[in-house]
Amino acid sequence: MGTQRLRLADARGALVLAGGLPLLVWAHHVPPKTADALSRAGIQYADAAGNAHIEFGDVLVDVRGRRPRGPAPQSPTTTVTNLFSTSRSQVVFALLAWPALWRASQREIAQASGVSVGLVNDTLRLLRASGYDLPAPGTRNSDLLDHWAAAFPGGLAPRLRLADFHGDIDVEKLRGTSIHISGESAVRDSIRPATLTLYVDDLAQPDGPSLPILNRWRTDGTMNIFVRRKFWRDPDGEKHPAESPRLSPWPLVYADLLAAGDPRLRAIAHDLRDHAA
C-alpha cells in the first residue's frame, strides 16, 4: 500500500484488503503520533524520510523522528474518514464493551457511547465498510479491539483528560461517588501499581467537597493520579449503584494498560483480553 501522509485509518483499510497476507505500508511521511499507533497495532511501515518499523524473524528495524525533505508528491485528492476519531472511538468502545449493542437500536448505542444518533449511524456504516460487523457467538472483534486501543492514547484519551494529581493511590481509601478505576490499579491483583487512572462524571461531587479535596490530592510533586471524564453509560444499568469505586469496562482497562508502554503491563493486558467474557 502507498500513500502520501499516512493515518491509522488508511493502514486499517489496507489490512482488510490484504486479507491476512503480509503487509508493508509505504508513505511519503508517517507522522510521529501515527508511527506510535501503528507500532502498537503491529502494522509495519516505511516512508521516504527514512522512518520505518519492520519486524521479521529476529530482525527489528525501528527508526522514527525523521522529517521529509521537500513537499509530498502531488496526487489526486482523496478523502479518508478516520474510523477512530474521538467521537467514533466512543461508539467503537461501546460495541466492544457490550457486544449485544450490535443488535440494539442506534438510539441505545448513542446512549451507551455518549454521542448523537447520527454519529452512531455514520460509525456503523464505516465499521461494516471496513469488514467489521456483529461477531459470531462466542467470539470477539479482537482485531477491532487492538486497532481501537492503538489509536486511543493519541485520540480519545487526551480529549477526556480532566486533571492530574499527586496523592495516595490506594483504591481502598478512595472517597467519592461514580468513580471508575482503570489502568494498572484495575489489575492490582497481578501487579503493584505505581499510578491510578480514574474515570469520573465530574471532579465536583453532588453533595460536599470535590474529589481532590476529599482524597487530599495535590497538584505538586510527581503526578501519579490521572482523572478523566467518564463518557459512557452502561446499557445494562449500574449493577451496584451505591458501590464506588468500580472497575471500568475491560476494553478501557486494556487500552490504558497498553498505553503505559510497560512490557509487564502489556503482558497483563493481553491476558485480560484473552480471558475477558
Side-chain angles (χ1 to χ4, degrees):
M1 173 193 173
T3 187
Q4 304 305 324
R5 183 178 175 86
L6 183 68
R7 298 187 298 180
L8 184 61
D10 304 322
R12 171 62 199 130
L15 282 175
V16 173
L17 295 175
L21 296 175
L23 174 68
L24 174 66
V25 179
W26 167 262
H28 176 73
H29 179 50
V30 179
K33 285 186 178 180
T34 302
D36 291 340
L38 292 172
S39 297
R40 287 191 295 267
I43 299 174
Q44 303 190 77
Y45 65 86
D47 70 11
N51 300 297
H53 184 87
I54 302 171
E55 292 184 65
F56 57 91
D58 296 328
V59 177
L60 170 62
V61 178
D62 191 12
V63 181
R64 306 186 196 186
R66 295 186 177 182
R67 298 185 177 183
R69 296 180 180 178
Q74 295 298 314
S75 62
T77 301
T78 58
T79 300
V80 179
T81 303
N82 183 5
L83 179 58
F84 301 107
S85 68
T86 54
S87 296
R88 294 190 186 94
S89 286
Q90 293 182 208
V91 179
V92 174
F93 161 79
L95 294 170
L96 290 168
W98 302 285
L101 287 176
W102 283 97
R103 298 186 184 276
S105 69
Q106 292 185 11
R107 184 171 299 279
E108 290 174 290
I109 299 174
Q111 291 175 343
S113 55
V115 302
S116 68
V117 174
L119 200 284
V120 169
N121 181 278
D122 181 60
T123 306
L124 291 174
R125 176 182 58 81
L126 289 172
L127 282 168
R128 286 161 181 149
S130 299
Y132 294 122
D133 209 331
L134 177 69
T139 65
R140 296 187 304 274
N141 270 319
S142 295
D143 193 38
L144 177 61
L145 169 68
D146 287 338
H147 286 91
W148 174 81
F152 179 75
L156 180 57
R159 292 287 297 272
L160 301 174
R161 180 180 178 272
L162 292 177
D164 300 338
F165 299 98
H166 175 79
D168 190 344
I169 64 169
D170 185 351
V171 299
E172 302 298 332
K173 297 179 181 179
L174 275 176
R175 299 178 62 193
T177 59
S178 190
I179 299 175
H180 290 72
I181 304 168
S182 187
E184 55 186 308
S185 287
V187 292
R188 57 194 183 278
D189 289 341
S190 301
I191 195 171
R192 183 176 181 179
T195 64
L196 176 62
T197 300
L198 304 175
Y199 290 84
V200 302
D201 291 328
D202 200 319
L203 286 173
Q205 292 287 278
D207 300 300
S210 66
L211 280 173
I213 294 176
L214 273 174
N215 295 283
R216 298 183 179 179
W217 297 337
R218 305 192 305 273
T219 55
D220 62 328
T222 302
M223 302 302 162
N224 61 345
I225 300 172
F226 310 105
V227 187
R228 297 173 178 162
R229 176 176 58 84
K230 175 181 173 286
F231 61 90
W232 72 89
R233 180 180 178 184
D234 190 335
D236 300 323
E238 299 293 359
K239 297 179 180 179
H240 305 287
E243 180 185 335
S244 187
R246 293 184 288 271
L247 291 181
S248 298
W250 76 267
L252 195 56
V253 176
Y254 175 74
D256 279 325
L257 288 172
L258 291 182
D262 186 326
R264 298 171 303 164
L265 297 181
R266 178 177 292 273
I268 294 172
H270 290 162
D271 186 64
L272 174 65
R273 178 191 61 187
D274 293 341
H275 292 88

